[in-house]
């Protein structure tokens, strides 16, 4: 959800950046976008590109300028695997509930929209 929404915001803002998403486990490896996420993206007219879940790779981590997480568990995993890094952060200053567990895709959408909007503003300011 965050990848598609941030890509959409970046295109609207004409902000050139590479955006990709990955997980911290192989649990969902190869799975397409969750139907609840697809419904949210379509409901808000956010274009959807083909996507398959995968675990973050060493190269992806090394190449990234910023790694944005939804919760502290993801941050802990990344720091254990790759070492402490200032490029790892939460999207918001609080955790975002995973709708896979809660079933509440509307609240997750609201949180991700807030976080992606703030992140776009921060990146714009840093680039200017």
């Amino acid at each position: 959800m965050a990848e598609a929404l941030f890509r959409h915001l970046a295109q609207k803002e004409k902000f050139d950046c590479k955006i990709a998403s990955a997980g911290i486990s192989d649990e969902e490896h190869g799975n397409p976008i969750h139907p609840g996420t697809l419904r949210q993206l379509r409901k808000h007219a956010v274009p959807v590109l083909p996507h398959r879940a995968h675990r973050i790779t060493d190269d992806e981590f090394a190449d990234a300028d910023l790694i944005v997480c939804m919760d502290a568990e993801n941050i802990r995993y990344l720091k254990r695997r790759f070492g402490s890094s200032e490029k790892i952060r939460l999207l918001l200053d609080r955790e975002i509930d995973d709708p896979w567990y809660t079933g509440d895709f509307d609240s997750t959408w609201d949180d991700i929209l807030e976080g992606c909007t703030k992140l776009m503003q921060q990146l714009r300011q840093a680039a200017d």
Side-chain angles (χ1 to χ4, degrees):
M1 191 182 298
E3 176 187 357
L5 177 54
F6 196 81
R7 180 177 285 115
H8 180 64
L9 293 175
Q11 287 174 338
K12 283 175 51 177
E13 293 281 328
K14 296 179 179 30
F15 187 79
D16 187 31
C17 60
K18 182 180 175 187
I19 304 157
S21 64
I24 60 168
S25 76
D26 287 325
E27 182 178 355
E28 294 292 322
H29 183 81
N31 287 344
I33 298 171
H34 189 283
T37 296
L38 278 176
R39 281 191 296 278
Q40 285 296 319
L41 295 172
R42 289 178 177 145
K43 175 180 170 182
H44 297 284
V46 173
V48 178
L49 297 176
H51 177 81
R52 295 284 178 182
H54 72 281
R55 179 187 281 190
I56 188 170
T57 66
D58 293 349
D59 288 342
E60 286 173 320
F61 187 88
D63 292 343
D65 294 320
L66 181 63
I67 305 285
V68 179
C69 300
M70 302 299 133
D71 61 44
E73 179 184 351
N74 289 307
I75 289 177
R76 282 189 300 275
Y77 170 85
L78 291 171
K79 286 182 176 181
R80 272 194 320 268
R81 180 168 171 199
F82 298 107
S84 186
S85 173
E86 291 190 22
K87 66 178 161 181
I88 303 169
R89 60 168 273 194
L90 286 172
L91 181 60
L92 289 173
D93 55 1
R94 65 183 186 281
E95 294 188 68
I96 297 174
D97 290 333
D98 187 337
W100 196 91
Y101 297 106
T102 66
D104 187 355
F105 286 84
D106 291 324
S107 292
T108 299
W109 169 265
D110 292 343
D111 286 345
I112 289 175
L113 176 60
E114 177 186 349
C116 286
T117 301
K118 287 179 179 178
L119 179 58
M120 178 57 66
Q121 292 169 346
Q122 292 166 358
L123 293 175
R124 271 269 185 231
Q125 289 174 348
D128 290 341

